[in-house]
Amino acid sequence: MDLPALPSVANLPFVESLYYAWLEDPSSVDEGWRRYFEALPGTPGAAPAPAAFAPRRPDGAHAVRVTAAPTADAAFQSKVDAMVEAYREFGHLRAHLDPLGLIHPAERFSLEAFGLSERDLDRPTADPGGRGDGTSSAGAGQALRDLVGRLEETYCRSIGVELGHIDDRELRGWLQQRMERTRNRLTLAPEVRKELYGKILEAEMLEQFLGTRFLGSKRFSIEGAEGFVALVEFLLDRAVGHGIRNVVIGMAHRGRLNVLANIVAKPLQDIFAEFRDTGIVGSGGGDVKYHLGYSSDRDTPDGVPFHVSLAFNPSHLEWIDTVVQGRVRAKQDRYRDFDRLRSMALLVHGDASFAGQGIVAEGLEMSELETYHVGGTVHVIVNNQVGFTTSPRDARSTTYCTGPARMLQIPIFHVNGEDMEAVAQAVLLATDFRQRFHRDAVIDLWVYRRHGHNEGDEPSFTQPVMYRAISRKPTLRQVYAEQLVRDGVLGPEDVQAMASAYRARLEEAYQASARIAARPSPQTMGGVWRGYQGGPLGRDEPPTGVPEPQLREAGLSLSQVPQGFHVHPKLARVLEARAEMARGHRPLDWGMAEALAYATLALEGTRVRLVGQDTRRGTFSHRHAVLFDHETGVPYTPLAHLREGQGPVEIRDSLLSEAAALGFEYGYSLDMPEGLTIWEAQFGDFVNSAQVLIDQFLSSAEAKWKRLSGLVLFLPHGMEGQGPEHSSARLERFLELSVDDNWRVVNLTTPAQIFHALRRQVVARSRKPLVVMTPKSLLRLPAAVSPLRDLAEGGFRPILPDEQADPSEVTRAVLCSGKLYYDLVAARETMRAGHAALIRVEELYPLHDEEIRNALRAYRPGVELVWAQEEPSNMGAWDYVDLHLSPRLPSPLTLVARPPSASPAVGSSSHHRLEQEQLVRQALGEPASRLSRVESRAAIQEH
Ligand SMILES: Cc1ncc(C[n+]2csc(CCOP(=O)(O)OP(=O)(O)O)c2C)c(N)n1
Ligand SMILES: [Mg+2]
């Protein structure tokens, strides 16, 4: 008999009862259980005094621990055990975390609560670590009094640790042991204390310098949390010790300037020059100084450079999180760091943001998924106990601001930000935990905010009590200096000398900044970005065709599976069709052309990463990029097995998130310019869940931060009678944001076009995001196919002129984009409307007006011009086309569209069909019939 399930928290009582039954009479339990118990260490056959069962699963999932049947001493010990567990689980409530002393720790545990009393204090306790399960080390054989003292120190001093939510015993055991052995205290060497003090000093002095020299300028001071800068420094040192060679820091406003200057070594004079704000900003407009990123190399003992980047960020606080993680994943992939131990993300959060912004929870949920794994992220919350003017009681429902992190099997260290030894211990535990278990860890740094939210803000309007306490507090620099002098680490003259030296640096940089005439431009085109370009896009299309023999070979490998693989019967036909397409016996559909784009790029060595909801199969079942053995369920990705040495191909399903998921892929594209990185929405309608990524990053990163991205967005779009929420990717919004060649927006009609558009993303030297309105019904439309030849020749075609219409008959030229074209072609056929030419605008941005005019030259002058779209007239491309294309056409452009509407589509599919028929008739210039919800109006020609 197989075991019903491995022991887990859920079935522990059941397993224990079986165990005792087995001890009494081995034959009373099933054979499977018998074998299991017999195999346990220390329990050979006969009944031993059971200690504990070591964790049996390599992943450390729940192991069983069974204690002996109670005796007099055992009864005492079990009370002690209960007390130990209480300290481990609830000790954090009693920790002294608040440097302001306004939040009072909970009452001390009473011995009586555990059935113990003062009289027991000198009784020896058993070593909880002696159980052999490696889960405890609270102290060997010590008296209860000493044990309580040790637990108080470990769990209730300046570090409160949350472990109660971790049900994986290996993780818990490791953490407990690390903390209990050391009493959660780290003795720092004098040089380290001095180094930490140096950072605290720099943090405070920089803020004060900025505050006096640039009075009233916003800088989102870190004062009150100066220990944070020392924490980051200590963490980076620790990271170097672990062999980490890349850290990407993501953080919002608070303390960014300090991290820029004192951690990533952005030259002080450049920062000051930005404060002086003289001169005109360069192209794009740039961004405020506290949003800019910077990176630099640090020296390491082994001479291998250690690269630290602070990512740029928009004001939107936590939205940078998964962008940073995506960057780290790309670095890990590039350097083949598959253990994900040499590059690390450090995310710095605000207390209010961490609790309030849902993207945090999305990001945490991603952390253990193979698609998004980065080997664990260290999170630091600069918990100044306020968000702008909002107090914690209005900012969250959870006990701590770290509440969302409790869903993961990771430790949360709450630490008093004024106890530097405790801060260092928390950093040590967090980084060691990350390196050891490849999981996230959270440090909640309890500090305060010395001033208002920004420097012009008066905080005592809303937090009078807190600010009275703050005004009485000496700075951490003062407190720590006194401590170090008291401990003989520094002399008073050293303290003075360190301050003078930094003041001199500040002064010198300030003078130098006066000589900087132009605002420094961000340096972003180095490293892996060398050779790529942003700025204006040429209108010449690079050749992206691939010779037919190569297409054929790639196509045939796509239709093959390994020996013994059981293909789903329905997919066998799909694979056969693909083979026929590859042989040129049948034209290519969209799915095949898309797959060939990936395959040919991979064969050229390009890395391909495509992630989205249900992307492996494809929402519309067109892709089947990953096949599942019909018998075993084992997946197989033909694209990843084209030949030795090909570029890696990752096609993965995302978690059900748009915001965090898109952020991650965007981040990936920032560090993988040579790859093809694609994020796919389930339906384009859902992309607005990630609107911040579109507005703040994709469309404007080049303008603000000079950071390029070649990310592709697949957004299924088209009116197909599926109702208001399954019709529109809001093309109009992308077009509204289109300017200065900031990206490309396409709405394609043929398989060859997606093939070339995807290849162009890699083949071209320019890197711009590509927004693709992808098809739904076209995936299966027999007319929407391309011959293999079209993939072999030429490149992407922004405009597809009408190759069927007889120019001499044409009196009306209909410009359109996307799937409506096929409806128009079919109607033209049935209605014998040969007078209408159909010109497809495949790339809407950048606009190819010259090519459109060229296409129109085939027809007689004065031909009637129509823009036809299936979207309501207040949506789709019309406003954009009217504004940017109409003035560049030889005659007025008339609109045919659905009438303006608050929602993108009707909720009835038959109503949709009627509307569509009507729309098509009108576009072709046929009289409208009864039902006229379709709008036709002339655009006002401006010239
Ligand atoms: C998405 C978003 N909403 C609101 C704001 C405005 N805002 C900026 S900082 C802030 C408070 C943040 O508090 P917290 O996370 O605790 O960070 P702190 O400023 O205290 O360091 C708010 C509400 C913003 N920048 N972005
Ligand atoms: Mg805050």
Side-chain angles (χ1 to χ4, degrees):
M1 189 211 95
D2 284 337
L3 295 181
L6 278 169
S8 71
V9 166
N11 65 11
L12 191 57
F14 169 62
V15 177
E16 288 201 43
S17 67
L18 284 180
Y19 179 75
Y20 284 115
W22 172 79
L23 282 178
E24 298 232 324
D25 174 13
S27 66
S28 66
V29 300
D30 279 337
E31 192 199 336
W33 283 113
R34 213 158 46 231
R35 278 209 306 271
Y36 178 72
F37 292 136
E38 281 164 6
L40 289 172
T43 57
F53 302 156
R56 286 175 54 79
R57 287 175 52 182
D59 62 1
H62 328 294
V64 186
R65 199 187 88 202
V66 181
T67 43
T71 63
D73 265 355
F76 167 69
Q77 187 58 40
S78 74
K79 291 174 195 167
V80 173
D81 282 355
M83 184 195 71
V84 171
E85 285 308 321
Y87 269 101
R88 289 170 176 168
E89 193 147 342
F90 302 111
H92 58 86
L93 296 172
R94 305 209 339 86
H96 296 76
L97 302 177
D98 180 10
L100 295 176
L102 298 174
I103 306 283
H104 300 293
E107 294 279 300
R108 197 183 167 110
F109 299 135
S110 78
L111 291 170
E112 286 69 25
F114 305 102
L116 298 164
S117 75
E118 298 270 323
R119 286 192 306 279
D120 295 316
L121 281 172
D122 293 316
R123 285 181 76 176
T125 59
D127 172 16
R131 294 188 181 109
D133 63 355
T135 61
S136 175
S137 58
Q142 60 198 320
L144 178 60
R145 182 188 309 282
D146 299 332
L147 178 64
V148 169
R150 175 184 285 266
L151 291 166
E152 280 285 322
E153 281 193 56
T154 305
Y155 292 112
C156 308
R157 232 164 36 103
S158 302
I159 301 180
V161 56
E162 280 186 89
L163 298 172
H165 57 285
I166 301 181
D167 41 39
D168 183 315
R169 286 185 60 81
E170 188 192 353
L171 302 183
R172 240 175 122 144
W174 183 89
L175 286 161
Q176 284 166 191
Q177 211 165 47
R178 284 289 301 264
M179 294 188 295
E180 291 171 10
R181 278 202 182 142
T182 57
R183 299 176 189 239
N184 231 359
R185 185 193 289 263
L186 186 62
T187 310
L188 294 174
E191 315 80 71
V192 177
R193 296 179 83 190
K194 212 168 134 179
E195 191 191 3
L196 296 182
Y197 173 69
K199 284 294 152 190
I200 291 167
L201 172 146
E202 289 177 7
E204 181 190 305
M205 288 186 68
L206 175 64
E207 295 292 356
Q208 289 182 351
F209 190 84
L210 290 171
T212 47
R213 298 301 164 97
F214 305 103
L215 196 67
S217 276
K218 273 196 210 177
R219 61 195 151 90
F220 298 106
S221 158
I222 196 69
E223 286 162 278
E226 294 88 344
F228 161 71
V229 180
L231 177 157
V232 177
E233 185 68 17
F234 187 75
L235 190 149
L236 296 180
D237 281 350
R238 191 74 205 160
V240 171
H242 272 301
I244 293 173
R245 287 295 171 264
N246 259 301
V247 170
V248 187
I249 307 174
M251 69 184 287
H253 54 296
R254 181 80 47 216
R256 271 185 78 87
L257 291 166
N258 230 301
V259 170
L260 279 169
N262 294 323
I263 298 289
V264 284
K266 175 165 176 169
L268 281 168
Q269 64 261 36
D270 287 357
I271 295 177
F272 295 155
E274 284 159 10
F275 269 93
R276 288 180 188 273
D277 202 11
T278 49
I280 299 296
V281 294
S283 65
D287 200 351
V288 291
K289 50 212 166 270
Y290 44 81
H291 285 167
L292 302 176
Y294 198 77
S295 69
S296 58
D297 282 338
R298 295 175 154 222
D299 294 333
T300 58
D302 60 11
V304 182
F306 175 53
H307 194 67
V308 183
S309 316
L310 174 65
F312 56 73
N313 81 310
S315 276
H316 289 53
L317 307 168
E318 301 290 342
W319 286 76
I320 192 69
D321 295 359
T322 59
V323 175
V324 163
Q325 289 167 321
R327 287 190 58 189
V328 169
R329 170 84 171 210
K331 286 179 193 292
Q332 293 170 340
D333 287 354
R334 157 165 305 104
Y335 301 122
R336 306 180 62 77
D337 173 16
F338 298 127
D339 290 337
R340 312 204 177 278
L341 291 179
R342 292 175 74 76
S343 293
M344 188 181 90
L346 166 62
L347 292 181
V348 181
H349 314 270
D351 53 313
S353 325
F354 195 81
Q357 292 193 284
I359 191 142
V360 170
E362 289 187 23
L364 292 170
E365 195 64 78
M366 288 162 79
S367 63
E368 301 277 326
L369 303 178
E370 181 43 39
T371 307
Y372 302 109
H373 196 230
V374 290
T377 295
V378 175
H379 301 266
V380 177
I381 291 136
V382 180
N383 179 3
N384 52 22
Q385 312 184 59
V386 64
F388 208 147
T389 67
T390 303
S391 294
R393 80 174 64 88
D394 295 312
R396 62 179 194 252
S397 300
T398 46
T399 307
Y400 296 105
C401 61
T402 49
R406 279 180 68 97
M407 66 180 168
L408 298 179
Q409 297 286 293
I410 60 169
I412 301 165
F413 304 103
H414 305 282
V415 57
N416 186 320
E418 294 218 319
D419 181 341
M420 291 316 294
E421 276 70 14
V423 169
Q425 166 75 350
V427 169
L428 187 78
L429 289 171
T431 43
D432 291 2
F433 180 85
R434 187 265 177 190
Q435 289 300 99
R436 160 105 194 208
F437 296 106
H438 308 184
R439 293 174 191 247
D440 291 18
V442 178
I443 301 171
D444 173 21
L445 185 75
W446 283 59
V447 289
Y448 59 93
R449 189 186 70 191
R450 184 161 288 278
H451 309 295
H453 174 62
N454 59 51
E455 287 56 45
D457 211 69
E458 174 50 67
S460 64
F461 289 150
T462 47
Q463 274 77 24
V465 176
M466 185 188 223
Y467 275 82
R468 212 167 300 128
I470 290 173
S471 69
R472 289 197 286 263
K473 272 208 69 90
T475 68
L476 177 59
R477 177 180 155 206
Q478 282 168 290
V479 173
Y480 203 46
E482 278 167 25
Q483 237 179 64
L484 296 193
V485 170
R486 213 171 36 238
D487 294 350
V489 174
L490 289 176
E493 62 295 341
D494 299 324
V495 172
Q496 284 302 328
M498 286 171 80
S500 309
Y502 193 61
R503 190 168 306 113
R505 267 183 64 196
L506 292 168
E507 263 314 327
E508 196 184 317
Y510 183 73
Q511 303 304 334
S513 71
R515 296 189 289 274
I516 298 179
R519 219 175 139 102
S521 175
Q523 299 302 323
T524 54
M525 299 303 292
V528 295
W529 278 95
R530 206 159 288 133
Y532 295 100
Q533 67 195 46
L537 281 167
R539 295 297 185 266
D540 291 338
E541 296 302 329
T544 44
V546 174
E548 276 193 46
Q550 285 171 32
L551 288 170
R552 210 167 290 132
E553 200 185 322
L556 285 173
S557 5
L558 290 179
S559 53
Q560 280 157 16
V561 291
Q563 279 261 312
F565 186 91
H566 305 93
V567 180
H568 190 289
K570 286 189 182 161
L571 289 183
R573 289 205 295 277
V574 171
L575 294 189
E576 188 40 45
R578 285 188 180 170
E580 283 182 36
M581 292 178 203
R583 290 189 194 102
H585 297 165
R586 145 186 201 160
L588 276 67
D589 61 14
W590 186 281
M592 182 65 169
E594 192 195 313
L596 280 174
Y598 308 141
T600 52
L601 286 170
L603 287 169
E604 290 158 17
T606 301
R607 176 184 293 277
V608 177
R609 180 176 159 101
L610 162 61
V611 182
Q613 287 163 26
D614 308 292
T615 284
R616 290 182 299 178
R617 187 201 75 178
T619 297
F620 311 104
S621 219
H622 83 290
R623 183 171 293 125
H624 295 293
V626 180
L627 305 169
F628 296 86
D629 186 297
H630 196 43
E631 294 195 355
T632 64
V634 171
Y636 176 71
T637 307
L639 278 161
H641 298 93
L642 300 169
R643 74 159 152 72
E644 277 295 293
Q646 68 167 87
V649 179
E650 263 191 299
I651 299 190
R652 293 179 178 275
D653 292 343
S654 77
L655 81 172
L656 208 165
S657 146
E658 284 79 26
L662 173 52
F664 194 95
E665 299 316 320
Y666 172 69
Y668 196 91
S669 74
L670 291 176
D671 274 68
M672 195 60 80
E674 72 276 30
L676 176 66
T677 310
I678 308 176
W679 176 76
E680 180 171 63
Q682 182 116 76
F683 279 81
D685 308 66
F686 306 127
V687 69
N688 56 10
S689 302
Q691 196 64 41
V692 174
L693 263 305
I694 308 291
D695 295 339
Q696 265 58 40
F697 294 88
L698 273 169
S699 66
S700 56
E702 186 180 345
K704 293 191 292 193
W705 310 313
K706 297 255 181 288
R707 288 304 306 248
L708 310 183
S709 158
L711 183 68
V712 180
L713 262 52
F714 278 176
L715 309 177
H717 174 83
M719 317 283 282
E720 308 196 339
Q722 293 196 62
E725 265 70 76
H726 292 81
S727 296
S728 174
R730 307 284 185 171
L731 173 61
E732 60 279 4
R733 294 193 185 149
F734 289 96
L735 293 174
E736 183 189 55
L737 293 172
S738 298
V739 69
D740 286 342
D741 287 358
N742 59 338
W743 57 18
R744 297 178 181 277
V745 182
V746 299
N747 191 14
L748 310 176
T749 57
T750 73
Q753 286 284 76
I754 187 67
F755 175 84
H756 291 296
L758 290 175
R759 287 185 51 81
R760 180 178 62 173
Q761 278 307 95
V762 176
V763 171
R765 286 289 93 189
S766 60
R767 282 294 174 271
K768 301 279 176 178
L770 170 68
V771 181
V772 189
M773 300 285 130
T774 53
K776 295 174 281 187
S777 58
L778 289 201
L779 299 171
R780 289 193 177 69
L781 189 75
V785 291
S786 299
L788 199 60
R789 181 180 67 247
D790 284 3
L791 278 60
E793 290 163 7
F796 180 74
R797 300 176 65 194
I799 305 297
L800 292 179
D802 196 331
E803 276 154 13
Q804 287 159 19
D806 175 354
S808 64
E809 274 189 43
V810 170
T811 58
R812 185 177 174 94
V814 181
L815 305 175
C816 63
S817 191
K819 91 164 217 308
L820 176 64
Y821 166 76
Y822 290 100
D823 293 345
L824 292 170
V825 170
R828 179 169 68 178
E829 185 89 13
T830 49
M831 290 161 64
R832 297 182 199 291
H835 65 283
L838 304 172
I839 297 169
R840 284 170 275 176
V841 181
E842 300 273 304
E843 182 156 273
L844 286 149
Y845 190 81
L847 190 60
H848 299 264
D849 51 300
E850 175 75 41
E851 276 207 52
I852 295 174
R853 281 194 299 275
N854 282 344
L856 290 174
R857 275 194 198 105
Y859 313 114
R860 69 179 74 125
V863 71
E864 203 180 349
L865 292 185
V866 173
W867 174 262
Q869 66 176 39
E870 24 173 45
E871 300 90 346
S873 62
N874 57 324
M875 298 177 187
W878 171 243
D879 279 344
Y880 163 83
V881 163
D882 192 26
L883 188 65
H884 298 284
L885 180 61
S886 294
R888 298 195 172 97
L889 293 180
S891 46
L893 192 59
T894 303
L895 169 70
V896 174
R898 285 181 166 79
S901 165
S903 101
V906 293
S908 144
S909 113
S910 52
H911 191 141
H912 158 81
R913 273 198 304 280
L914 286 170
E915 277 186 355
Q916 194 79 358
E917 256 171 47
Q918 198 69 23
L919 181 107
V920 166
R921 288 174 76 87
Q922 274 191 243
L924 295 176
E926 297 294 317
S929 61
R930 282 177 298 113
L931 178 90
S932 191
R933 245 180 65 89
V934 173
E935 193 182 36
S936 175
R937 67 184 155 98
I940 295 160
Q941 193 66 6
E942 286 171 1
H943 67 143

